[in-house]
């Protein structure tokens, strides 16, 4: 598949699945033997686990993802994103705080025939926990 097809698939993931809440679209965007390399605690590492992850994010954080940068080569797409949301539901045993947040992250997606096949990510977890009030910010840090 072409780089254009791969990037279109990944854009659909952020826009239609995460922001649009269309979890069932993952049956068409991800291969049957999808592999998640950084699952959340309790999340499976396959396509059903990906659906589980997206539902967890939607239910807990009312997410709005913005693709800030997208870099691609055949079969691989890297996305730098920001995620703004509000903690509206329990997440991994943490009750909703009602607080808003804005965090950054980077995802690496490997694709096969224009469909998501593997995923790795890095997220600013410390900033996330600080904005939710779960970890104190250092003295003098901006709120």
């Amino acid at each position: 598949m072409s780089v254009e097809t791969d990037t279109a698939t990944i854009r659909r993931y952020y826009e239609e699945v995460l922001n649009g809440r269309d979890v069932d679209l993952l049956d068409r965007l991800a291969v049957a033997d999808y592999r998640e390399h950084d699952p959340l605690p309790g999340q499976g590492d396959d396509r059903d686990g990906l659906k589980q992850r997206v539902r967890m994010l939607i239910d807990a954080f009312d997410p709005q993802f913005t693709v800030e940068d997208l870099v691609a080569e055949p079969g691989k797409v890297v996305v730098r994103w920001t995620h703004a949301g509000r903690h509206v539901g329990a997440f991994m045993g943490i009750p909703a705080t009602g607080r808003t947040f804005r965090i950054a992250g980077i995802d690496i997606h490997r694709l096969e025939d224009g469909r998501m096949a593997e995923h790795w990510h890095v997220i600013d977890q410390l900033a996330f926990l600080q904005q939710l009030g779960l970890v104190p910010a250092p003295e003098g840090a901006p709120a």
Side-chain angles (χ1 to χ4, degrees), residues 11 44 46 52 56 60 68 71 85 104:
R11 285 192 185 280
D46 56 7
Q52 190 179 26
M56 290 168 63
E68 303 292 350
V71 179

Side-chain angles (χ1 to χ4, degrees), residues 14-35:
Y14 290 93
E15 294 168 8
E16 297 177 41
V17 175
L18 291 168
N19 293 342
R21 311 326 191 227
D22 187 356
V23 178
D24 292 332
L25 181 59
L26 289 170
D27 288 326
R28 293 192 310 274
L29 295 184
V31 297
D33 60 346
Y34 175 87
R35 172 90 167 126

Side-chain angles (χ1 to χ4, degrees), residues 12-82:
R12 289 187 74 192
Y13 171 66
Y14 290 93
E15 294 168 8
E16 297 177 41
V17 175
L18 291 168
N19 293 342
R21 311 326 191 227
D22 187 356
V23 178
D24 292 332
L25 181 59
L26 289 170
D27 288 326
R28 293 192 310 274
L29 295 184
V31 297
D33 60 346
Y34 175 87
R35 172 90 167 126
E36 173 61 54
H37 291 279
D38 300 310
L40 296 170
Q43 173 199 340
D45 64 357
D46 56 7
R47 185 170 64 190
D48 286 338
L50 174 60
K51 291 179 180 180
Q52 190 179 26
R53 175 193 203 96
V54 170
R55 285 186 188 104
M56 290 168 63
L57 294 174
I58 290 168
D59 292 346
F61 301 117
D62 190 26
Q64 181 63 42
F65 282 82
T66 301
V67 172
E68 303 292 350
D69 287 301
L70 189 145
V71 179
E73 63 181 39
K76 193 167 282 182
V77 178
V78 178
V79 178
R80 183 179 67 85
W81 49 259
T82 53

Side-chain angles (χ1 to χ4, degrees), residues 116-143:
M116 298 163 57
E118 292 183 88
H119 172 254
W120 300 260
H121 72 263
V122 177
I123 299 170
D124 188 350
Q125 295 177 6
L126 179 59
F128 179 61
L129 295 172
Q130 288 174 334
Q131 290 175 60
L132 295 183
L134 301 171
V135 171
E139 181 99 12

